[in-house]
């Protein structure tokens, strides 16, 4: 029997598991550092986007397939080495996603009041790692750097009336803090122009649909250079055209009477964050675009302006994190690979694979990871077509005692189903789809309570 380990239980991990298990007689053990599964679907998707969490239903069906086992609460590279994992399994697929954020690399980035968007996302989604983070929502002016969907998520959560979030699965502590928010202005700052925003049109449209909020675009910002006109008019790339149409609609709107105002700003790059013991603002440099259609980059003009703000989120992309014992491309934040086969000095490492954001970088929507996972699974299976002379591997029968001997308390999928039911019941009591346990201890207490009942 081919025994395989998947490291990470987010979308790519589950899509790889599905592809492998559907191929026939394999055993798949999915290792996850948290005691609960689903990674980005549970902790990354915005609470007001419940439809994007529906893949979790398909993941639960995968978990019910014969040969699947979930092992939660184990960090590979810390609780056990990759070498130990290789001893126990024929193959390992790393699906850890992109766990950290990119930095701006400008002075003042470390000032209190300057945060990564990933921290805020983890905090409002009840990720245990971000529970203790504090965001100064007494500030009236917030700046978000980046024009991607994560920036749009952060902007919506800051701009929406708190009553519009009460029926979501947003963490209770975030709801309480947002109820006291004094935020009035949110500036979304992009280094390139309106034709190059990375928002999908649905996310951009939503910014204009927030109740009691306005969205403003200076009409002059929508004048395009010839290369951008070519991008917008290219029939193969309709997204830019749709976004431009929305931006023109926004530019024509009035913002009178809005409780909160969103400003979409273009062609500006942060050069410095200023403040003495707390963030007081950001110096922005005006840019122009250089290069051919679809290859335009932002070039500073030397013209600087100051934008006072007490809270800033950088939302300029995610990065993967290295695992000791696994090759890593630190510049790109990915595991070097050829269609999912992990490479060391350009050579494929036998039995080591990767999928998802740690394979290709943080791009695409959740569904994008399915095709990516199928590619990796296909290569893995083709590397093991002849299984007659495979050495026997112990899989979980060696792994679980090893982890227990190190004092780790691991969870299985049945444990998760108990936690899931308890969270849904807690949510129902307050009119939410779910009230997450945000402390790891509370997850384990819930499992123990139900075992005792
Ligand atoms: P993203 O889409 O890559 O956007 C990053 C933004 O940051 C871009 O506007 C980029 O500008 C800008 N940027 C990068 N480096 C910068 C710098 N040094 N200074 C100033 N600006 C900089 O990344 P993301 O928003 O983190 O999203 C990651 C992935 O998750 C995307 O594929 C996204 O679609 C997906 N996602 C989807 C949803 C959804 O489906 N609802 C929600 C959240 C995330 P340039 O274009 O100039 O590089």
């Amino acid at each position: 029997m081919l025994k395989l380990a998947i490291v990470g239980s987010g979308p790519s991990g589950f899509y790889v598991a599905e592809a492998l298990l559907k191929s026939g007689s394999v055993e798949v053990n999915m290792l996850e550092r948290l005691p609960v599964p689903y990674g980005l679907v549970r902790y990354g998707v915005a609470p007001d986007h419940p439809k994007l969490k529906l893949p979790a239903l398909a993941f639960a069906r995968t978990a019910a397939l014969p040969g699947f086992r979930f092992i939660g609460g184990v960090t590979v590279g810390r609780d056990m080495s990759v070498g130990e994992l290789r001893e126990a399994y024929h193959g390992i697929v790393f699906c850890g996603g992109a766990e950290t954020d990119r930095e701006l690399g400008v002075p003042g980035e470390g000032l209190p009041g300057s945060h990564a968007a990933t921290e805020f996302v983890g905090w409002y989604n009840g990720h245990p790692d971000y529970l203790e983070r504090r965001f100064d929502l007494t500030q009236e002016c917030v700046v978000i750097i980046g024009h991607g969907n994560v920036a749009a998520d952060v902007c919506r959560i800051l701009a929406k009336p708190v009553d519009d979030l009460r029926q979501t699965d947003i963490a209770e502590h975030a709801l309480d803090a947002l109820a006291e928010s004094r935020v009035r202005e949110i500036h979304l700052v992009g280094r390139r122009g309106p034709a190059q925003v990375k928002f999908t049109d649905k996310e951009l449209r939503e910014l204009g649909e927030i109740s009691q909020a306005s969205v403003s675009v200076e009409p002059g910002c929508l004048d395009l250079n010839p290369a951008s006109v070519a991008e917008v008019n290219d029939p193969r790339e309709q997204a830019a055209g749709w976004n431009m149409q929305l931006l023109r609609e926004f530019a024509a709107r009035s913002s009178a009477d809005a409780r909160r105002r969103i400003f979409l700003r273009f062609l500006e790059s942060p050069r410095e964050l200023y403040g003495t013991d707390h963030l007081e603002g950001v110096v922005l440099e005006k840019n122009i675009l250089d290069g051919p259609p679809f290859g335009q980059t932002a070039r500073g003009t030397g013209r600087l302006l100051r934008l006072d703000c007490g809270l800033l989120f950088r939302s300029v992309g995610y990065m993967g994190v290295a695992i000791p014992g696994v090759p890593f491309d630190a510049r790109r934040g990915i595991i070097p690979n050829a269609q999912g086969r992990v490479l060391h000095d350009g050579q494929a490492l036998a039995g080591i694979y990767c999928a998802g954001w740690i394979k290709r970088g943080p791009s695409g929507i959740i569904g994008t990871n399915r095709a990516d996972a199928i590619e990796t699974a296909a290569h893995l299976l083709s590397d093991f077509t002849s299984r007659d002379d495979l050495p026997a591997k112990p899989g979980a029968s060696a792994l679980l005692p090893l982890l227990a001997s190190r004092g780790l308390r691991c969870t299985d999928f049945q444990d998760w189903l108990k936690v899931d039911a308890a969270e849904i019941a807690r949510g129902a009591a307050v009119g939410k789809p779910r009230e997450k346990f945000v402390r790891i201890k509370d997850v384990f207490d819930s499992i123990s309570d139900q075992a005792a009942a």
Side-chain angles (χ1 to χ4, degrees):
M1 173 74 85
L2 187 60
K3 297 196 175 173
L4 303 168
I6 293 176
V7 179
S9 70
S12 55
F14 268 99
Y15 288 133
V16 169
E18 181 192 20
L20 292 173
L21 290 163
K22 286 189 171 166
S23 78
S25 61
V26 299
E27 254 179 49
V28 170
N29 289 180
M30 180 178 278
L31 281 65
E32 164 60 52
R33 77 180 173 92
L34 293 173
V36 292
Y38 302 155
L40 188 91
V41 167
R42 180 172 164 90
Y43 293 118
V45 171
D48 59 342
H49 279 171
K51 282 192 187 148
L52 299 186
K53 295 172 195 254
L54 291 177
L57 300 175
F59 300 162
R61 286 195 294 276
T62 296
L65 292 173
F68 180 89
R69 183 196 278 262
F70 175 76
I71 305 173
V74 51
T75 301
V76 173
R78 186 195 69 186
D79 301 327
M80 63 175 311
S81 69
V82 170
E84 287 169 325
L85 208 54
R86 293 182 83 168
E87 290 291 311
Y89 296 92
H90 296 104
I92 310 169
V93 191
F94 289 95
C95 302
E99 282 194 77
T100 189
D101 66 287
R102 283 190 188 278
E103 294 186 352
L104 297 171
V106 299
E109 196 166 358
L111 276 170
S114 155
H115 305 270
T118 48
E119 296 172 47
F120 190 60
V121 171
W123 173 78
Y124 65 60
N125 276 328
H127 192 299
D129 289 359
Y130 300 96
L131 199 54
E132 306 305 333
R133 300 298 155 97
R134 293 291 172 269
F135 304 95
D136 184 2
L137 298 173
T138 65
Q139 298 294 333
E140 291 197 359
C141 182
V142 183
V143 168
I144 303 171
I145 306 291
H147 275 175
N149 284 336
V150 172
D153 286 351
V154 167
C155 181
R156 275 197 327 280
I157 298 301
L158 288 167
K160 280 195 170 183
V162 75
D163 286 341
D164 289 5
L165 296 171
R166 285 193 198 285
Q167 271 107 51
T168 73
D169 70 355
I170 190 168
E172 197 178 7
H173 59 249
L175 208 48
D176 292 344
L178 288 164
E180 303 296 317
S181 167
R182 293 199 211 139
V183 171
R184 297 294 309 271
E185 282 186 14
I186 303 165
H187 295 258
L188 276 162
V189 178
R191 65 179 168 182
R192 295 194 291 159
Q196 289 82 32
V197 297
K198 296 259 180 74
F199 309 118
T200 40
D201 61 314
K202 179 178 166 295
E203 273 62 26
L204 184 57
R205 182 177 298 107
E206 274 181 288
L207 294 182
E209 294 171 345
I210 299 171
S211 55
Q212 299 167 42
S214 66
V215 57
S216 304
V217 176
E218 288 288 323
C221 296
L222 301 182
D223 298 338
L224 302 180
N225 66 0
S228 298
V229 171
E231 291 178 18
V232 170
N233 292 336
D234 191 315
R236 293 161 300 178
E237 287 288 339
Q238 290 178 304
W242 293 332
N243 282 337
M244 278 305 294
Q245 203 176 325
L246 278 166
L247 291 168
R248 287 197 184 99
E249 282 174 31
F250 292 166
R253 286 187 191 178
S254 131
S255 61
D257 301 334
R259 218 176 127 237
R260 291 195 171 122
R261 299 179 67 191
I262 299 166
F263 296 88
L264 280 156
R265 308 171 64 111
F266 303 96
L267 294 167
E268 291 174 346
S269 283
R271 291 294 173 233
E272 184 186 347
L273 275 54
Y274 57 84
T276 41
D277 48 8
H278 192 282
L279 179 72
E280 290 169 22
V282 53
V283 176
L284 298 169
E285 181 175 10
K286 295 298 282 184
N287 297 327
I288 53 168
L289 294 177
D290 252 354
F294 300 108
Q296 297 191 83
T297 54
R299 180 160 59 81
T301 60
R303 198 150 68 83
L304 302 177
L305 59 103
R306 287 160 78 92
L307 176 57
D308 291 339
C309 66
L311 185 58
L312 177 142
F313 295 100
R314 59 177 183 274
S315 183
V316 295
Y318 288 82
M319 294 273 283
V321 172
I323 297 179
V326 184
F328 191 66
D329 177 341
R331 193 183 57 81
R332 297 182 61 201
I334 61 165
I335 297 176
N337 71 90
Q339 288 99 43
R341 291 185 177 103
V342 173
L343 301 177
H344 179 59
D345 290 339
Q347 298 295 314
L349 277 178
I352 309 283
Y353 305 85
C354 60
W357 279 6
I358 198 69
K359 169 184 171 186
R360 67 174 197 281
S363 64
I365 56 173
I366 288 171
T368 314
N369 292 300
R370 188 142 193 266
D372 178 302
I374 288 170
E375 178 187 68
T376 293
H379 284 301
L380 185 156
L381 292 167
S382 75
D383 290 345
F384 288 98
T385 37
S386 158
R387 298 187 197 170
D388 297 340
D389 52 355
L390 269 185
K393 291 279 186 177
S397 66
L399 189 73
L400 293 175
L402 178 78
L403 296 174
S405 75
R406 292 178 180 168
L408 286 182
R409 181 174 173 193
C410 294
T411 53
D412 59 23
F413 208 75
Q414 290 306 312
D415 292 329
W416 158 246
L417 294 177
K418 290 177 194 152
V419 173
D420 189 33
E423 288 187 344
I424 290 170
R426 276 157 49 93
V430 290
K432 296 169 76 174
R434 146 184 329 269
E435 187 69 64
K436 288 178 198 163
F437 293 110
V438 297
R439 287 182 178 74
I440 288 181
K441 179 184 177 304
D442 295 343
V443 170
F444 282 114
D445 286 352
S446 161
I447 296 166
S448 305
D449 290 350
Q450 292 180 66

